[in-house]
Amino acid sequence: MNKILVDSNVILDIVTQDPAWYEWSATQLETLAEDHAFVINPIIYSEISIGFTRIEELDEALPVEFFRREPLPWEAGFLAGKCFLKYSRSGGARRSPLPDFYIGAHAAILDIPLITRNGQRYQNYFPKLKLIQP
């Protein structure tokens, strides 16, 4: 079964039933579930955790049967740092979080697609990364 990394914004669209994005995100995951294993990493997990009071509630929202939890490869840390440095040197806003670069690097290092609705930065800094985006 093929893997696909699921960005936190897609999961949050579903968990929060976002009026603008729920339908797109839910449809994409439903379609992709037939032949993909959904992967999240500790950064995605932590970004989603902000909306939960208890870890048990978070784990219920992210069942391991549906979202495979994988660690970040060390190589992804190196690639994320290099891409973030390039971003910073080209005048990127300091408010932009390094975690997005880790997420892109994770998918790039594993050579798996990333489903996100914020694909522009990923396209700019990970040009070979396959994105599933609106």
Side-chain angles (χ1 to χ4, degrees):
M1 181 169 277
N2 299 316
K3 293 181 184 180
I4 187 165
L5 191 64
V6 183
D7 201 354
S8 56
N9 56 48
V10 172
I11 297 169
L12 287 170
D13 291 343
I14 295 167
V15 170
T16 65
Q17 297 187 351
D18 183 275
W21 290 104
Y22 174 84
E23 188 173 324
W24 182 85
S25 294
T27 300
Q28 293 302 312
L29 290 186
E30 188 176 318
T31 302
L32 292 166
E34 293 179 23
D35 57 359
H36 287 84
F38 296 134
V39 174
I40 61 172
N41 62 36
I43 291 173
I44 294 167
Y45 185 87
S46 68
E47 288 180 333
I48 296 166
S49 75
I50 294 169
F52 293 87
T53 306
R54 299 175 53 241
I55 194 169
E56 293 83 4
E57 295 168 351
L58 175 61
D59 288 341
E60 188 175 312
L62 298 172
V64 293
E65 307 82 50
F66 198 72
F67 293 103
R68 183 183 300 177
R69 298 171 187 190
E70 293 192 3
L72 284 163
W74 288 101
E75 298 86 354
F78 183 83
L79 180 58
K82 294 302 176 195
C83 290
F84 186 74
L85 181 62
K86 181 178 176 184
Y87 170 80
S88 296
R89 287 183 176 165
S90 67
R94 292 285 180 201
R95 65 177 177 75
S96 179
L98 181 58
D100 286 349
F101 289 94
Y102 268 107
I103 291 167
H106 187 183
I109 292 295
L110 295 181
D111 194 25
I112 63 173
L114 171 65
I115 182 170
T116 183
R117 59 176 169 79
N118 297 329
Q120 187 62 45
R121 181 177 305 138
Y122 295 117
Q123 284 179 328
N124 290 343
Y125 293 93
F126 305 96
K128 294 180 182 179
L129 181 59
K130 181 180 181 206
L131 295 172
I132 298 168
Q133 61 181 332

